[in-house]
Amino acid sequence: MILSIKKYIALVATLSVVAVLSACGSEEVDAPLSLNSVVVIDVVTTIYPVTYFVERIGGDLVSVTPLLKPGVPSHDFEPGPSDIIELAGADMVVYNHPSFEIWVADALDATANASRVIVQAADIDASESDGIDPHVWLNPLKAVAMVEKIRDGLVAVLPASANVISANADDLIAELTALNDQIVESLAVCGHREIVVSHLAYGHLTGPLGVRQIGLSGISAESETGARRVAEVIDEMRELKLKFILQEPLSNSDLAKTVARETGVEILQLHPLEALTEDEQQVGDDYFTVMQRNIDSLVLALGCSGG
Ligand SMILES: [Zn+2]
């Protein structure tokens, strides 16, 4: 419905070439490569990691519209009228998992479109953690599986560009695999087995390392925390002699400050990557630069020797 400028240009270019071919009386126009190479598809995405993966894998072949903008907390998001228009006009929609984007099934129903390809990037094994933890992208190896699903979706829409798409995905998978190796190495020998975090976003990252997260709030960043929970966290921190609280950038830091004051510990940043802040977006941060800082914070908070 809504035609982006890039897509419009691609369409005009395609039509002109088709017109030239028709004028020459050519009967054999079976998907020439030169035509497919100018097609740019409109992909609507949701949260930051999905957006970043689609941009990396799709490259010049995609025009990406993220529904969640930088600086906006993601768990509470609900699509507005302009988001519905974007979803209706998309060639492809990529989201993380219905346990994060709880609005997605209704929004896709409301904008049903037979030619649109829909990709749910994350698969979650509910038996792995207490409840469904949708923050799958924070584990680089699980992110590889997301990349593969997004790659397959893009190839389904743009089969003539399968080589480019697969090569882009391979590059990204190599980077994610190297990042995972670095995490395993950096966090192999540590003084602590627990971290205190803003919300329970890090199970996929820390679980395989045998690290337990103690949350100021639950799996959703916006869930309420009562005074009793704060007292429990303070007790546990004292007992475990933990020296740091890991606070995320886009959630209210009052609670972390209260606990830090009470226990005399320091606050470090740990980033769930659900959304970049506007500043991070401006300086060109991405999944990998933020994950590097996350590793630094975890090495400090856990007292690991492999920094
Ligand atoms: Zn979260």
Side-chain angles (χ1 to χ4, degrees), residues 74-75 100 133-135 137 199-201 218-222 248 272 274:
S74 321
H75 282 276
F100 197 108
D133 175 359
H135 308 85
W137 61 88
H199 84 289
L200 296 174
I219 278 181
S220 168
E222 289 91 22
E248 64 193 62
E274 291 161 5

Side-chain angles (χ1 to χ4, degrees), residues 2-305:
I2 290 225
L3 219 49
S4 76
I5 290 173
K6 267 193 197 164
K7 188 174 176 185
Y8 180 69
I9 292 168
L11 186 61
V12 169
T14 307
L15 292 176
S16 334
V17 179
V18 170
V20 170
L21 289 174
S22 311
C24 298
S26 167
E27 300 292 313
E28 298 165 84
V29 190
D30 64 301
L33 286 172
S34 57
L35 291 187
N36 287 300
S37 65
V38 295
V39 171
V40 173
I41 59 163
D42 278 327
V43 185
V44 170
T45 59
T46 58
I47 56 175
Y48 173 72
V50 166
T51 303
Y52 176 69
F53 295 155
V54 170
E55 284 172 345
R56 284 284 309 263
I57 304 163
D60 295 339
L61 303 165
V62 293
S63 167
V64 181
T65 305
L67 297 186
L68 285 126
K69 310 298 184 221
V72 178
S74 321
H75 282 276
D76 270 0
F77 173 84
E78 278 177 20
S82 64
D83 301 316
I84 294 298
I85 291 171
E86 291 291 353
L87 285 168
D91 299 305
M92 184 171 166
V93 178
V94 187
Y95 63 97
N96 180 61
H97 189 275
S99 65
F100 197 108
E101 299 100 322
I102 48 175
W103 47 269
V104 83
D106 286 347
L108 291 175
D109 273 356
T111 56
N113 168 353
S115 65
R116 184 178 60 184
V117 170
I118 295 166
V119 175
Q120 176 192 313
D123 287 314
I124 298 173
D125 179 357
S127 65
E128 251 183 70
S129 55
D130 302 332
I132 300 269
D133 175 359
H135 308 85
V136 176
W137 61 88
L138 287 164
N139 179 319
L141 286 190
K142 293 181 181 177
V144 166
M146 296 173 70
V147 166
E148 288 168 346
K149 284 186 83 173
I150 295 169
R151 175 199 63 199
D152 294 348
L154 282 167
V155 168
V157 183
L158 295 166
S161 301
N163 286 348
V164 177
I165 293 165
S166 294
N168 290 345
D170 286 347
D171 286 348
L172 184 50
I173 288 169
E175 272 188 72
L176 288 165
T177 309
L179 176 66
N180 190 70
D181 291 346
Q182 189 195 347
I183 290 170
V184 170
E185 201 174 310
S186 304
L187 304 179
V189 184
C190 308
H192 295 285
R193 307 308 297 168
E194 298 86 9
I195 50 172
V196 178
V197 297
S198 309
H199 84 289
L200 296 174
Y202 307 93
H204 291 285
L205 173 63
T206 59
L209 301 162
V211 171
R212 180 169 66 93
Q213 43 177 353
I214 299 167
L216 289 171
S217 67
I219 278 181
S220 168
E222 289 91 22
S223 54
E224 288 292 318
T225 303
R228 195 164 130 199
R229 178 70 196 139
V230 174
E232 282 170 4
V233 171
I234 289 174
D235 282 351
E236 214 168 350
M237 288 193 74
R238 285 187 172 137
E239 198 177 312
L240 296 165
K241 300 187 166 50
L242 300 180
K243 299 281 181 281
F244 299 94
I245 293 177
L246 296 162
Q247 168 69 27
E248 64 193 62
L250 286 175
S251 84
N252 188 333
S253 62
D254 291 351
L255 210 53
K257 283 178 185 156
T258 303
V259 176
R261 229 184 356 257
E262 189 75 18
T263 53
V265 305
E266 255 184 78
I267 297 177
L268 292 174
Q269 181 176 289
L270 191 62
H271 200 311
L273 275 158
E274 291 161 5
L276 294 185
T277 65
E278 284 169 1
D279 286 350
E280 287 163 349
Q281 171 93 349
Q282 254 167 21
V283 301
D285 267 320
D286 65 22
Y287 176 91
F288 289 98
T289 61
V290 171
M291 285 299 278
Q292 285 301 329
R293 293 201 293 272
N294 280 350
I295 295 173
D296 293 344
S297 291
L298 286 170
V299 164
L300 265 178
L302 289 164
C304 310
S305 55

